[in-house]
Amino acid sequence: MAKKNGTIMYRCSNCGYSQPKWLGKCPDCGEWNTLTEVIMDKNGVSPAGLGSALSEKSKPVSLETVTAQQNVRFSTGISEFDRVLGGGATKRSVVLLGGEPGIGKSTLLLQTAASVAKTFNGKSNILYVSGEESAAQIKERADRLKVNCSGIQLLSTSRLEDTFDALEELNPGLVIVDSIQTIYSAEAGLIPGTVNQLKYCANEFITWAKNRDTVLIMTAHVTKEGTIAGPKSLEHMVDTVISFERNNDDIRFLHAQKNRFGSVDELGIFSMTEDGLIPVTDPTSLFITKRSEGLPAGVACTPVFEGSRVFMVEIQALTVPAKATISRVYSEKIDSGRVARIAAVIEKRCGLRFSDQDIYVNVAGGIKLSESSIDAAIATALYSARTDIPVHPKMAVFGELSLAGEIRPVIKGKQRTKAAVSLGYTTVVNPEGTDGTAKAADIKTLVKLMFK
């Protein structure tokens, strides 16, 4: 029966056999009642070489009759990766992993493939598709990392058609594409990395993964600003977008910018070693500088929440006379607009001038901070830097600072206090002041408590 948008066909949901008439029993696999109505688009070509593309004919259904499907997860074998994914990899999901060159994306995914292969124990294949490196290069990395390659199928190609031939043959439980910018299809041209190629190839991969109990992980190149290169629609198409970042040392940070199956607040922390990426399971004091003497002026410590964990971080500030008529704020890990706002509140409420100063703010360890609880610590560090008066080394502070100079409560105050006390801080200044801690209701009280 001819249609404007294609021809009606009937496809077996079990084996994929299709024919123009409905039958109760599939002639190919012998299963009953498995033929469903699909549309054959003559203008679309299946990348697996199956001829005209077949797509399910969509029909409206009542929402109340739909049965919610529980997400089926499996562990990647890497605790920090599982944390960022929301508790493990979800079947029929697509993950997009972005990071700058040389940060360790391929290392992380090769270690993940080896760990998952051990979990599957031969029950399912793992396909690692590399469009950037040869098989010998990947094997060399595997030997250096001392990972078990059993159960991992490797395909070094940039052609989408070759990849889909392997997918149909192996039907793997985990597919890794490194990277999506290197894959091309003759249907979208011969140059990889173009907008059309990215959309076409990514859509074919996603469509394949959504129809099978598999997990697809694609790596992506990033621009010099740190964002994923290519059309923004690529991030909308996938289920999870993960950013891989680093500080100046060997510490790597993994966090989700989008996650349909979990929280985007969790932070995964790794240490890059000769044996690969090692998860940092207890990073509570990772971002605190160890000193034999007291704190220098311009330093304040604060407990912050990243997902379900509390970290103690050190905020550093420096003020110097402005070199031009207009003062400037230099801050990479904390929004410079927030720093300027807090400096304005101190100048207005405490009479300490910052308008003629250049302000530099940094976070020890290179972690980026955005939650409102760090306002009080920023204010403390700025006041200390401007007056050249150091804070007592056993004091910590947290709280949100309003434009009126008030110190406002933040969530999970007791957990923050407990984490600070467990690390040896004898005084924790916060807006609530519970459990024997010091209470600061406004910026003036905060200054008196921190610099008494």
Side-chain angles (χ1 to χ4, degrees), residues 246-444:
R246 76 170 97 193
N247 63 0
N248 296 328
D249 302 319
D250 296 327
I251 302 299
R252 303 291 190 268
F253 303 112
L254 197 68
H255 66 88
Q257 299 175 347
K258 169 190 176 182
N259 192 352
R260 290 174 178 163
F261 305 110
S263 171
V264 296
D265 297 325
E266 294 289 353
L267 179 69
I269 304 177
F270 297 86
S271 176
M272 177 62 82
T273 66
E274 295 180 355
D275 297 327
L277 291 164
I278 306 299
V280 179
T281 56
D282 186 18
T284 308
S285 59
L286 181 65
F287 308 106
I288 297 296
T289 304
K290 296 181 180 179
R291 299 182 176 90
S292 57
E293 300 179 355
L295 293 179
V299 174
C301 297
T302 182
V304 298
F305 255 96
E306 289 290 342
S308 58
R309 296 183 293 185
V310 185
F311 305 143
M312 288 299 300
V313 298
E314 181 182 288
I315 296 179
Q316 304 166 350
L318 174 67
T319 61
V320 295
K323 300 177 180 62
T325 56
I326 301 176
S327 62
R328 298 182 180 181
V329 176
Y330 301 89
S331 178
E332 294 182 358
K333 305 305 179 183
I334 301 175
D335 180 47
S336 58
R338 169 185 286 190
V339 176
R341 171 177 59 82
I342 294 174
V345 172
I346 298 175
E347 184 166 346
K348 176 67 175 180
R349 306 302 173 186
C350 299
L352 191 62
R353 189 173 181 180
F354 285 92
S355 55
D356 59 349
Q357 300 287 309
D358 284 339
I359 301 174
Y360 298 82
V361 173
N362 184 44
V363 180
I367 185 174
K368 289 185 177 180
L369 301 178
S370 59
E371 64 170 329
S372 59
S373 68
I374 65 174
D375 286 357
I378 298 173
T380 301
L382 288 174
Y383 192 96
S384 174
R386 188 69 177 91
T387 59
D388 204 27
I389 302 175
V391 178
H392 192 278
K394 295 299 182 180
M395 294 184 71
V397 59
F398 66 87
E400 180 183 355
L401 180 63
S402 72
L403 294 179
E406 303 166 319
I407 306 296
R408 297 167 53 85
V410 294
I411 60 172
K412 301 180 180 178
K414 291 184 178 180
Q415 292 93 321
R416 298 175 195 269
T417 302
K418 183 178 179 180
V421 172
S422 65
L423 290 176
Y425 291 89
T426 57
T427 304
V428 182
V429 179
N430 63 83
E432 297 175 342
T434 56
D435 300 328
T437 59
K439 180 177 181 179
D442 53 52
I443 185 66
K444 291 183 178 179

Side-chain angles (χ1 to χ4, degrees), residues 153-217:
Q153 301 295 320
L154 178 62
L155 178 63
S156 293
T157 184
S158 295
R159 296 182 70 248
L160 181 69
E161 290 76 13
D162 293 345
T163 303
F164 267 81
D165 287 341
L167 290 175
E168 294 297 332
E169 178 184 354
L170 298 173
N171 192 26
L174 173 65
V175 181
I176 296 173
V177 179
D178 187 14
S179 67
I180 186 60
Q181 274 95 349
T182 62
I183 304 298
Y184 75 93
S185 171
E187 296 297 324
L190 296 177
I191 302 177
T194 63
V195 173
N196 286 340
Q197 285 285 11
L198 283 174
K199 288 183 177 180
Y200 182 84
C201 295
N203 183 68
E204 295 296 335
F205 277 123
I206 293 170
T207 302
W208 186 90
K210 291 294 184 181
N211 293 325
R212 290 164 176 82
D213 286 338
T214 187
V215 175
L216 171 63
I217 303 177

